[in-house]
């Protein structure tokens, strides 16, 4: 169900063309991902590392579906330069305080688009000598020409349109929507 036009206007002045993934579909898939992740990590220490801000809702739903001990921390990355194109020059604004060495690291991302963010973060995180490093992406656009590490866990293959909601933003708006919608 879409929020009323009035509430959308307050949020960002736009109306969505369509809901791409509804609440129920997302919840079902997140449960499956939780089961897959639980099964994939039989032993060792697991650190689930959420890339802010986009992963905040997905991560909080996902960790509650993982049935084994784990720790949670976050990364805040920023691209140099503004604009709508991902520049690929990613630097860390917030670095996890948790020790990464010797742990299974699961990097959780909202969406893999050009893949530049993942590529840069994978390089950075590998320098910390984790026991293993994998990526879990809620959405994958399959646009990236080269991925340093293909996401082992993917929620949905995404249409190649701009998506908002369930953590994803457009100019910081729409992150709170409980579903994923296309803006155009
Ligand atoms: P990449 O480096 O091009 O893979 O970009 C990844 C980041 O760009 C994601 O973590 C998102 O924050 C943002 N992004 C890419 N595509 C979308 C979209 O369709 N909607 C909202 N944010 C997006
Ligand atoms: Mg964004």
């Amino acid at each position: 169900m879409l929020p009323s036009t009035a509430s959308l206007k307050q949020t960002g002045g736009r109306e969505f063309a369509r809901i791409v993934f509804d609440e129920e579909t997302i919840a079902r898939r997140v449960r499956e991902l939780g089961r897959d992740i639980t099964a994939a990590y039989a032993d060792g220490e697991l650190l689930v590392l959420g890339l802010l801000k986009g992963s905040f809702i997905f991560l909080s739903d996902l960790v509650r579906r993982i049935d084994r001990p784990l720790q949670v921390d976050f990364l805040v990355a920023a691209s140099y330069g503004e604009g709508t194109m991902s520049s690929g020059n990613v630097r860390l604004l917030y670095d996890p305080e948790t020790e990464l060495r010797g742990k299974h690291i699961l990097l959780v991302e909202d969406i893999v688009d050009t893949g530049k963010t993942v590529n840069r973060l994978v390089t950075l995180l590998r320098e910390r000598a984790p026991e293993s490093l994998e990526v879990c992406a809620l959405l994958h656009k399959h646009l990236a020409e080269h991925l340093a590490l293909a996401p082992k866990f993917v929620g949905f293959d995404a249409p190649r349109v701009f998506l908002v909601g369930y953590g994803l933003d457009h100019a910081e708006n729409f992150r709170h929507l409980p579903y994923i919608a296309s803006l155009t």
Side-chain angles (χ1 to χ4, degrees):
M1 216 196 328
L2 286 162
S4 68
T5 308
S7 87
L8 280 179
K9 287 217 166 89
Q10 281 164 17
T11 324
R14 291 203 188 217
E15 291 177 56
F16 305 120
R18 67 192 173 100
I19 293 179
V20 180
F21 301 106
D22 65 21
E23 277 189 77
E24 211 178 291
T25 306
I26 295 170
R28 204 181 316 122
R29 187 70 190 116
V30 170
R31 274 198 299 275
E32 289 169 2
L33 284 173
R35 278 197 289 268
D36 291 349
I37 292 166
T38 304
Y41 294 98
D43 45 40
E45 288 182 85
L46 175 62
L47 174 63
V48 181
L49 210 46
L51 179 60
L52 292 177
K53 299 176 199 170
S55 76
F56 84 110
I57 293 178
F58 175 45
L59 179 124
S60 68
D61 284 345
L62 181 67
V63 291
R64 285 178 283 179
R65 298 293 175 185
I66 301 175
D67 188 19
R68 57 104 69 214
L70 58 79
Q71 296 179 339
V72 174
D73 209 332
F74 296 95
L75 284 171
V76 182
S79 298
Y80 288 108
E82 292 297 310
T84 50
M85 297 294 285
S86 183
S87 70
N89 279 319
V90 176
R91 77 202 146 93
L92 291 183
L93 298 182
Y94 171 77
D95 206 317
E97 287 170 2
T98 323
E99 175 73 41
L100 305 194
R101 182 176 299 273
K103 290 181 184 163
H104 295 298
I105 307 300
L106 182 62
L107 177 65
V108 177
E109 262 230 272
D110 53 355
I111 185 165
V112 178
D113 185 17
T114 66
K116 287 173 181 170
T117 308
V118 177
N119 283 348
R120 190 70 194 103
L121 289 177
V122 162
T123 308
L124 275 171
L125 294 173
R126 278 186 175 146
E127 288 166 7
R128 313 280 174 90
E131 175 69 22
S132 71
L133 177 64
E134 298 294 351
V135 173
C136 175
L138 173 65
L139 298 158
H140 194 341
K141 282 190 181 167
H142 296 278
L143 282 171
E145 282 167 23
H146 167 76
L147 282 179
L149 183 61
K152 181 168 179 167
F153 308 98
V154 175
F156 304 101
D157 292 335
R160 291 166 180 181
V161 295
F162 200 81
L163 299 170
V164 296
Y166 199 69
L168 288 94
D169 75 305
H170 176 258
E172 296 303 327
N173 292 306
F174 309 119
R175 290 193 197 275
H176 68 295
L177 299 176
Y179 48 78
I180 297 166
S182 71
L183 260 192
T184 50

